[in-house]
Amino acid sequence: MIADVIRSLRRPPVAGLAPELPGGLPWLGHALEFWRTPIDMLTRGQARFGEVFRFKLAGRDVTVLTGPKGHKAFFHADTSVLSARECYQFTVPVF
């Protein structure tokens, strides 16, 4: 918990990006937590930030869109902003 606070203080929010879930390991980010308890991790992110947030996963930023606003953003986004193909390529091995 204390480490999360320190990390969040060191990384200021980036304009235009969803808020980042603090914690995780260098480069791996939240990969271990996502592998072990994905629902708990995603629920924690949603409770803290609402319907849209992001986390680090093996060197990549993953943006989570939940609830009606998140789903609307996903399904109505222009392809220049959000690539459905890239999202599906990520989710197929996960599920």
Side-chain angles (χ1 to χ4, degrees):
M1 175 96 168
I2 294 172
D4 288 351
V5 172
I6 293 170
R7 283 187 189 103
S8 67
L9 293 174
R10 287 190 303 194
R11 284 186 269 178
V14 178
L17 293 180
E20 183 177 347
L21 187 63
L25 300 170
W27 192 82
L28 282 176
H30 291 86
L32 297 176
E33 183 180 7
F34 188 68
W35 180 65
R36 290 181 184 147
T37 56
I39 294 173
D40 292 343
M41 190 196 84
L42 296 172
T43 301
R44 182 169 51 91
Q46 185 180 31
R48 181 167 181 172
F49 297 113
E51 296 182 353
V52 180
F53 64 95
R54 64 189 168 97
F55 63 93
K56 297 286 187 192
L57 184 65
R60 300 185 75 176
D61 271 336
V62 175
T63 302
V64 179
L65 306 170
T66 65
K69 290 180 185 176
H71 293 169
K72 183 177 180 181
F74 177 80
F75 288 110
H76 292 97
D78 187 82
T79 56
S80 65
V81 175
L82 188 134
S83 168
R85 172 177 279 166
E86 188 174 338
C87 293
Y88 290 128
Q89 287 175 348
F90 170 79
T91 58
V92 168
V94 172
F95 299 104

